[in-house]
Amino acid sequence: MQRAVAASISSSRATAWASSSATPRHAGAASCSTSRHAVAPLRVRGHVPVVPLSLSLLSARTRTALASAAATTAELPPVSDAAAASDSGGGIAGAVQLGALIVAWYLLNIYFNIYNKQVLQALPFPLPYTITAFQLGFGSLAILLMWAARLHPLPRLSAAQLAKIAPLAAGHMLGTVFTNMSLGAVAVSFTHTIKASEPFFTVLLSAFFLGEWPSMLVLGSLVPIVGGVALASLTEVSFNWVGFWSAMASNLLNQTRNVLSKRLLGGEEEESISMDDINLFSLITVLSFLLSCPLMLLAEGVKFSPAYLQSTGVNLQELCVRAALAGLCFHGYQKISYMILARVSPVTHSVANCVKRVVVIVSSVLFFRTPISPVNALGTGAALGGVYLYSRLKKSKPKSQ
């Protein structure tokens, strides 16, 4: 009798296990609702050779909404692979959400460049290390709040992982420093025209570090990029070598960071780290801020003291508010860029990034009344057209491998 009961129990357990294993395990796609990015549209003011550091440019309601939108982006949870697949499937809700993220990405990038340029113009002397420390500091604060609120899992960092991430953080910090140097020396539109040559450095560094050799068509797409940047440089009114080489150095450092990050996330097993892209970006930002502090104090600490700045006639309160808004926008648009990349393919993201650069260039030209000659516009257009062609040609690369 006991054997029969035991046999019956064993049979029922086997049946239950078989039925549960026959049912596929599929985690529900986590939906990530976007926050309301109530950012006011860009308003073009009259001609001003140097834009004054005045908070009257935007209303109090707009400034509050902009800061809230930038800060909220750091608190949005990452999107799972299932959610990304669902959003890319053509659903109306996913398309609306993706469109809202792209609009917020563009707006935050526009406002970052405007606020940052106004801060750099208002300073009586260049302070790229100090501005970089402010931007990375506000981003680090948003990241720490994200981890404290458990909106994203806290990473477990080992000494070996720290040794691998530290060089990326140093490159990210210096790349931001050189970007600020360029923005302080030349027009915003010219800096972004130079930064459109990023694909050239991507191809070069991918071949050197990852062994990924481009096709002849991809190499051909680099010709209008390099030629367009050269043509725009020859006809740029605000051209100087400091602004040019600073933007080039920023391209080199930022693309080195991207290529090495790719190798850490999905490269060879002995080089990769068990960490998602959001936590990797977050750790790079926090470590970059820690590295920027001693450089700021050594290079510019005395000049940035409140007493010294007030003696030069700078409105310290407005300067700090502008720097804070630029820092929030800086971190916000970078985080949204990662969120968009989780929803679309890398090629689509590259095309959207190319369009974003066009929007930033046009917006900065209109806002700062930057003089653009027809030849300069032709060079800028050729460079951006080459970037778009490069992005489209990259789609065929995985199929040939």
Side-chain angles (χ1 to χ4, degrees):
M1 183 63 179
Q2 293 179 350
R3 292 180 178 179
V5 172
S8 176
I9 294 175
S10 176
S11 177
S12 63
R13 289 179 176 177
T15 303
W17 179 86
S19 63
S20 63
S21 61
T23 304
R25 296 182 179 179
H26 179 72
S31 63
C32 177
S33 62
T34 57
S35 62
R36 295 183 178 179
H37 299 275
V39 182
L42 183 65
R43 296 186 295 175
V44 181
R45 287 248 165 167
H47 173 71
V48 279
V50 178
V51 177
L53 191 66
S54 174
L55 296 180
S56 61
L57 175 66
L58 299 174
S59 63
R61 181 180 179 183
T62 301
R63 296 196 304 271
T64 305
L66 176 60
S68 175
T72 307
T73 55
E75 302 176 0
L76 293 175
V79 180
S80 64
D81 294 337
S86 175
D87 286 342
S88 60
I92 297 178
V96 172
Q97 187 182 56
L98 179 61
L101 286 175
I102 291 177
V103 171
W105 185 28
Y106 287 7
L107 285 176
L108 288 172
N109 207 301
I110 291 171
Y111 278 114
F112 161 71
N113 282 279
I114 290 176
Y115 286 139
N116 203 34
K117 182 65 175 180
Q118 288 179 334
V119 170
L120 293 169
Q121 283 182 329
L123 292 172
F125 32 73
L127 293 175
Y129 290 100
T130 301
I131 299 302
T132 298
F134 262 82
Q135 293 167 357
L136 296 175
F138 281 100
S140 300
L141 178 61
I143 290 169
L144 294 177
L145 292 175
M146 176 187 71
W147 284 335
R150 300 184 181 275
L151 297 174
H152 194 81
L154 185 68
R156 296 180 179 179
L157 187 64
S158 63
Q161 289 176 328
L162 181 61
K164 294 177 180 179
I165 296 176
L168 303 183
H172 179 66
M173 183 268 295
L174 291 175
T176 308
V177 168
F178 283 119
T179 298
N180 287 323
M181 283 184 180
S182 180
L183 288 173
V186 296
V188 175
S189 57
F190 183 54
T191 296
H192 281 273
T193 300
I194 301 174
K195 289 177 72 65
S197 61
E198 286 177 348
F200 172 80
F201 293 94
T202 301
V203 170
L204 183 66
L205 295 170
S206 295
F208 183 78
F209 289 107
L210 305 178
E212 297 179 357
W213 297 96
S215 64
M216 293 303 296
L217 289 176
V218 171
L219 287 176
S221 68
L222 300 180
V223 175
I225 296 176
V226 176
V229 170
L231 187 61
S233 301
L234 291 174
T235 56
E236 173 60 35
V237 176
S238 65
F239 178 86
N240 64 66
W241 288 109
V242 173
F244 177 83
W245 287 117
S246 297
M248 282 295 184
S250 174
N251 280 345
L252 178 61
L253 289 167
N254 288 335
Q255 293 310 306
T256 301
R257 176 204 63 195
N258 292 342
V259 171
L260 294 180
S261 296
K262 179 180 178 182
R263 187 168 69 174
L264 287 181
L265 289 172
E268 301 175 3
E269 186 175 352
E270 65 271 11
E271 295 176 346
S272 62
I273 57 177
S274 56
M275 188 178 301
D276 61 85
D277 55 350
I278 297 296
N279 273 336
L280 178 60
F281 168 73
S282 300
L283 287 172
I284 288 175
T285 301
V286 174
L287 289 176
S288 298
F289 169 66
L290 296 177
L291 291 174
S292 67
C293 290
L295 289 176
M296 176 192 70
L297 295 175
L298 289 174
E300 304 164 353
V302 176
K303 292 182 179 180
F304 197 71
S305 63
Y308 188 85
L309 286 177
Q310 288 179 353
S311 66
T312 61
V314 174
N315 189 319
L316 189 59
Q317 180 180 0
E318 293 187 356
L319 179 69
C320 292
V321 170
R322 289 286 178 179
L325 290 174
L328 291 174
C329 292
F330 176 75
H331 178 73
Y333 85 75
Q334 288 191 333
K335 181 60 68 70
I336 289 181
S337 176
Y338 272 82
M339 294 172 63
I340 294 174
L341 186 59
R343 289 166 167 79
V344 300
S345 66
V347 174
T348 302
H349 187 273
S350 298
V351 173
N353 190 55
C354 176
V355 176
K356 181 208 71 177
R357 201 171 296 283
V358 174
V359 172
V360 171
I361 290 175
V362 173
S363 300
S364 64
V365 168
L366 294 176
F367 186 87
F368 293 105
R369 299 291 183 176
T370 306
I372 299 292
S373 66
V375 178
N376 186 278
L378 177 63
T380 301
L384 295 174
V387 173
Y388 178 81
L389 181 61
Y390 168 84
S391 302
R392 301 304 300 175
L393 290 174
K394 290 291 287 184
K395 178 184 292 186
S396 61
K397 185 177 180 181
K399 297 179 181 179
S400 62
Q401 290 180 344

